[in-house]
Amino acid sequence: MGEYFPDVKPIQYEGPDSKNPLAFKHYNADEEVAGMKMRDHLRFSVAFWHTFKGTGTDPFGSATMVRPYGDGDEMKVAEDTLAAAFEFFTKLGIDFYCFHDRDIAPEGTDLAETNKNLDKIVELADKLQADTGVKLLWGTANLFSHPRYMCGASTNPDPAVFAYAAAQVKKAIEVTKRLGGTNYVFWGGREGYETLLNTDMGRELDHLGRFLNMAVDYARQIGFDGQFLIEPKPKEPTKHQYDFDAQSCHAFLQKYDLVPHFKLNLESNHGTLAGHTFEHELTYAAANGILGSIDANRGDLLLGWDTDQFPTNIYEATFIMYIVLSAGGLAPGGLNFDAKVRRSSFEPVDLFHAHIGGMDAFARGLKIALKMRNDGALDDFIKQRYAGWDSGIGKDIEDGKASFADCEKYILENGEPKPVSGRQEMLENIVNEYIR
Ligand code: XUL
Ligand code: CO
């Protein structure tokens, strides 16, 4: 195993005046802000699949990215790729990574051989984690690439496919536990439908609920105490994904008694595909105590698909961090860059530029959000707007002490409610003053 990124030195913090593209201008990992190091507020993670397995293919063209860790048999490629990944993590100074089982090790001819391949690579990952201090934010199973999953995994009409997926997740939870992963993610993959003409939706949802309950049972049985996460996405690859958005996932979790075991891993681009802002998704989850972790990326609002671009929008990063801080922070979740460099950014150094940009954007977002919160720039206004609920008829309604008849009496005595401005434009102007 040699050096895979020989031209890149460890990325340093050089401050906002630096013109060095391979330096942080805002992310200063060990700087304390609001009593905590920036690295602990932000808990950045690299997504193994995009960063190390992405090749730049699209439906119209073949791979553009030739990496220095792609030669030899499949197991050698897997070992070299993992070594390159840890060199990358260390040079970038990032604390966490995430993977799917099939990102890090190839499938064998049967499940037994596949598991053996995975064990071998996991042993190496364990060693590299110990050597570098880089930790696993979450593990997951790829239940969508193999043709057996073309009609779904746990929602497949064939119980044998359900069983295969269960066996795969069993192993993936074991591996996540072994590597000290603090979360385990379920993204729906192909859990959805293409047409209702061939779909028993009620039965498929019951099977998905059963599957997740079986996963919880197994995790408790082996002593995995990490956080389970569901990652909502409304469409793609299927026409309709059952984990459509935060609110529909919440209803699903409630129906199948999963709320005590699950939170959400929210992804920016998935939120916008569902027709929401990402702030909406985060706010819904935070308001219901199910904000778990974030897949940080960005879509292109002019396109209707999951472009998974690196997040660079300071305004968005600010609101994400504002909601995260209000919710009490991200841990044990993190900010995972589920993002890929563009097809034409094919050189290894582009992977560094991409992550540096994302990390700097969130570092700025963190600092701006902290200032906005400290000044009470929005909070005070919102508190005041709802102050009527803290006493009188408002409090009685909230406390369940007022009836419709009490409301009628109140209006007859007090007359027409006095209109109050929502001051949207004033608030938008205030926010702009913070984002400089
Ligand atoms: C797919 C997606 C996944 C999950 C993990 O859109 O976001 O990569 O994050 O399976
Ligand atoms: Co994701």
Side-chain angles (χ1 to χ4, degrees):
M1 288 177 205
E3 198 182 2
Y4 296 94
F5 306 98
D7 302 333
V8 181
K9 309 239 165 343
I11 309 300
Q12 308 290 338
Y13 170 72
E14 292 186 3
D17 295 331
S18 169
K19 295 278 179 278
N20 176 4
L22 288 174
F24 294 116
K25 325 286 184 302
H26 304 276
Y27 179 62
N28 189 8
D30 291 320
E31 182 185 325
E32 294 234 348
V33 286
M36 210 156 95
K37 289 184 175 167
M38 286 179 94
R39 63 166 75 227
D40 298 326
H41 277 291
L42 294 162
R43 297 173 61 84
F44 288 132
S45 158
V46 172
F48 201 94
W49 50 102
H50 284 314
T51 295
F52 301 104
K53 303 304 285 182
T55 57
T57 51
D58 71 13
F60 304 95
S62 53
T64 59
M65 297 165 191
V66 183
R67 301 300 191 205
Y69 34 84
D71 274 347
D73 69 46
E74 282 189 314
M75 281 303 279
K76 175 160 185 314
V77 169
E79 283 168 15
D80 290 356
T81 306
L82 198 70
F86 276 81
E87 182 190 329
F88 181 84
F89 305 152
T90 314
K91 285 188 167 168
L92 187 62
I94 203 156
D95 293 332
F96 295 96
Y97 74 116
C98 299
F99 62 72
H100 302 84
D101 47 3
R102 304 298 174 250
D103 302 335
I104 57 168
E107 288 217 30
T109 47
D110 58 17
L111 185 64
E113 193 190 7
T114 302
N115 286 348
K116 228 168 94 197
N117 289 348
L118 188 56
D119 281 335
K120 194 154 178 241
I121 299 298
V122 164
E123 202 177 312
L124 180 60
D126 203 14
K127 183 183 173 311
L128 290 166
Q129 286 185 197
D131 289 351
T132 59
V134 174
K135 296 181 280 296
L136 182 64
L137 183 67
W138 46 263
T140 188
N142 179 328
L143 303 179
F144 44 91
S145 294
H146 193 283
R148 82 174 73 84
Y149 296 128
M150 68 182 169
C151 301
S154 67
T155 64
N156 199 290
D158 180 354
V161 178
F162 180 111
Y164 206 112
Q168 199 178 323
V169 169
K170 172 180 177 288
K171 182 73 182 171
I173 295 173
E174 289 165 14
V175 158
T176 301
K177 176 178 186 287
R178 165 149 189 217
L179 292 175
T182 40
N183 302 270
Y184 184 89
V185 165
F186 289 91
W187 166 57
R190 296 182 191 273
E191 312 292 32
Y193 64 81
E194 295 298 337
T195 172
L196 289 172
L197 293 175
N198 64 14
T199 303
D200 185 336
M201 191 197 286
R203 216 162 175 185
E204 291 201 357
L205 285 166
D206 285 349
H207 296 163
L208 182 54
R210 189 87 287 283
F211 191 86
L212 297 181
N213 272 290
M214 286 162 76
V216 169
D217 289 346
Y218 185 66
R220 301 310 169 231
Q221 189 187 320
I222 64 166
F224 173 69
D225 53 10
Q227 174 68 58
F228 277 118
L229 299 167
I230 286 190
E231 184 176 323
K233 183 172 182 176
K235 55 190 168 192
E236 200 188 298
T238 67
K239 167 191 166 70
H240 173 87
Q241 302 271 122
Y242 291 136
D243 301 331
F244 193 90
D245 64 358
Q247 201 163 347
S248 48
C249 280
H250 190 209
F252 173 87
L253 291 173
Q254 291 180 87
K255 175 169 182 198
Y256 294 100
D257 298 324
L258 290 161
V259 175
H261 311 290
F262 277 83
K263 288 193 160 67
L264 300 182
N265 180 41
L266 294 169
E267 178 166 325
S268 321
N269 203 168
H270 296 177
T272 49
L273 283 179
H276 303 308
T277 61
F278 190 45
E279 293 94 284
H280 164 92
E281 289 291 86
L282 290 168
T283 303
Y284 178 84
N288 288 282
I290 51 168
L291 173 54
S293 199
I294 290 177
D295 269 9
N297 64 11
R298 146 176 78 100
D300 182 324
L301 294 182
L302 301 180
L303 301 175
W305 67 90
D306 196 14
T307 59
D308 282 341
Q309 290 166 242
F310 273 83
T312 52
N313 186 321
I314 313 291
Y315 202 95
E316 266 178 38
T318 299
F319 272 100
I320 292 170
M321 291 318 298
Y322 190 89
I323 299 162
V324 163
L325 290 167
S326 308
L330 270 174
L335 278 169
N336 172 48
F337 291 112
D338 192 358
K340 56 188 178 203
V341 290
R342 299 302 89 188
R343 180 172 159 76
S344 50
S345 306
F346 63 93
E347 294 184 346
V349 71
D350 291 310
L351 298 172
F352 283 93
H353 290 305
H355 286 84
I356 290 169
M359 291 161 85
D360 264 347
F362 273 94
R364 284 173 83 174
L366 168 67
K367 286 189 171 175
I368 299 167
L370 276 168
K371 195 155 183 346
M372 271 165 51
R373 273 174 57 76
N374 286 344
D375 294 353
L378 301 179
D379 274 1
D380 291 353
F381 184 87
I382 293 178
K383 233 177 258 151
Q384 190 50 41
R385 192 164 186 234
Y386 291 85
W389 294 90
D390 297 337
S391 61
I393 185 73
K395 186 157 175 15
D396 287 348
I397 295 171
E398 275 198 355
D399 292 348
K401 288 185 188 145
S403 65
F404 269 14
D406 295 324
C407 291
E408 182 187 48
K409 182 164 173 279
Y410 175 84
I411 293 300
L412 289 173
E413 281 169 9
N414 291 277
E416 186 64 27
K418 198 166 149 272
V420 182
S421 170
R423 295 264 188 277
Q424 179 171 339
E425 295 75 9
M426 179 193 82
L427 294 166
E428 286 167 348
N429 297 349
I430 290 175
V431 170
N432 268 5
E433 286 307 305
Y434 280 88
I435 300 178
R436 294 166 191 259

